[in-house]
Amino acid sequence: MRPKDLQYPFKDTPKRIMLDKQVWYAMGEEGEFQFPGWDRLFIASQPVKIEYCSGNGLWLAERAQNEPNANWVGLELKFDRIKKIWSKIENRQLKNLLAVWGEGFDVTKRYIPDNSVSEVYVNFPDPWPKRRHAKYRIIQPLFAEQIHRILQPEGTVSLVTDDVDYSKQMVRVMTKQPGFASCYPEPYFVTEYPGYGTVSYFEDLWRSQGKGIRYHLFKKVL
Ligand SMILES: C[S@@+](CC[C@H](N)C(=O)[O-])C[C@H]1O[C@@H](n2cnc3c(N)ncnc32)[C@H](O)[C@@H]1O
């Protein structure tokens, strides 16, 4: 299957929230849609791990393939990239991976149940480097609050970036959010993380340009 084989389902109908072929279209009007619960979305009942800002799903599909004992969810804003994740789901027969077309904070706040997720990942979120654009970054206090809400006790959040200013914001936001503790001592990140997963498209790009990568890891402790 190629990404273009996933047809946009709303050509002649209004956009509405729906689930089809391991894609959750969470971008439209809510209508009568109700979140069915993770167990209904996957064939096996097992820990749920979410990656926000999944891009083309390179890292995500590899992790889902290598960890069949978890149910993986990839949240992505751009439909073209959802198509790329979907083609990986189809071609590799990844029954434990769901692609979600939607905005990360919005989908989380509206649908994701409390204490229902074991791990959260955000790899190379858009850095919005201009100061006046920093408000568009996904790692914000309200997002951290939601992540804390959906994580199970001892659940973890991994945040990865090449952007020094964004790394500082990640540390600031996460250390201020009650109930999280950094798994790394000050400065609260490491620059190598063997076994983290295959390099994502952006990790590859930034490393080839000689940029340092910062991995932050926080645990829900309260
Ligand atoms: C720099 S790319 C990184 C993609 C991937 N994680 C990687 O490492 O290759 C950031 C991605 O986040 C998506 N994105 C940005 N803001 C988002 C949001 N609020 N919710 C979901 N996805 C978002 C963008 O569409 C883009 O695909």
Side-chain angles (χ1 to χ4, degrees):
M1 290 287 185
R2 289 161 300 172
K4 70 176 176 118
D5 294 326
L6 180 68
Q7 296 300 321
Y8 185 72
F10 305 111
K11 272 194 194 107
D12 307 313
T13 54
K15 255 197 268 175
R16 61 193 167 85
I17 310 275
M18 62 175 222
L19 284 150
D20 190 37
K21 298 193 188 109
Q22 285 176 257
V23 179
W24 176 7
Y25 297 85
M27 203 63 132
E29 289 300 313
E30 205 159 356
E32 294 185 353
F33 181 86
Q34 290 201 335
F35 181 70
W38 294 125
D39 285 356
R40 292 248 178 130
L41 293 176
F42 294 98
I43 52 172
S45 173
Q46 40 192 19
V48 174
K49 305 187 179 187
I50 300 185
E51 187 198 21
Y52 291 86
C53 305
S54 301
N56 61 22
L58 195 63
W59 180 90
L60 177 68
E62 184 85 5
R63 284 292 295 260
Q65 195 164 359
N66 291 338
E67 281 183 51
N69 295 333
N71 290 330
W72 287 84
V73 179
L75 253 146
E76 171 54 48
L77 200 53
K78 295 189 178 148
F79 191 61
D80 276 358
R81 295 183 182 174
I82 286 291
K83 289 179 167 193
K84 291 184 178 165
I85 302 173
W86 172 80
S87 76
K88 291 180 179 70
I89 292 174
E90 287 288 313
N91 294 334
R92 302 185 204 178
Q93 292 290 298
L94 298 172
K95 298 289 175 216
N96 63 331
L97 175 52
L98 176 75
V100 185
W101 181 34
E103 196 283 316
F105 175 76
D106 175 62
V107 172
T108 306
K109 188 160 185 258
R110 277 210 269 175
Y111 298 110
I112 302 190
D114 295 0
N115 303 310
S116 68
V117 173
S118 68
E119 292 173 13
V120 163
Y121 295 86
V122 193
N123 299 320
F124 303 96
D126 290 330
W128 294 103
K130 289 187 180 149
R131 191 171 284 264
R132 68 177 190 280
H133 290 157
K135 58 182 178 229
Y136 300 123
R137 290 173 174 169
I138 193 165
I139 311 299
Q140 305 278 352
L142 290 177
F143 182 74
E145 200 179 291
Q146 286 299 316
I147 295 308
H148 183 268
R149 180 184 67 74
I150 65 170
L151 273 175
Q152 296 162 345
E154 308 273 293
T156 56
V157 190
S158 304
L159 307 174
V160 185
T161 186
D162 60 290
D163 187 283
V164 171
D165 190 55
Y166 205 171
S167 161
K168 288 180 184 161
Q169 178 165 331
M170 289 170 172
V171 168
R172 220 169 30 242
V173 167
M174 294 302 291
T175 52
K176 277 194 184 153
Q177 172 62 41
F180 279 124
S182 173
C183 299
Y184 304 130
E186 254 187 286
Y188 307 123
F189 63 83
V190 293
T191 53
E192 296 292 335
Y193 194 138
Y196 188 70
T198 184
V199 286
S200 73
Y201 173 82
F202 280 91
E203 175 163 3
D204 213 10
L205 184 67
W206 302 142
R207 280 199 192 277
S208 72
Q209 292 179 8
K211 290 190 177 175
I213 309 291
R214 294 182 176 196
Y215 300 85
H216 314 75
L217 183 65
F218 297 88
K219 185 184 270 194
K220 177 168 169 174
V221 288
L222 288 176

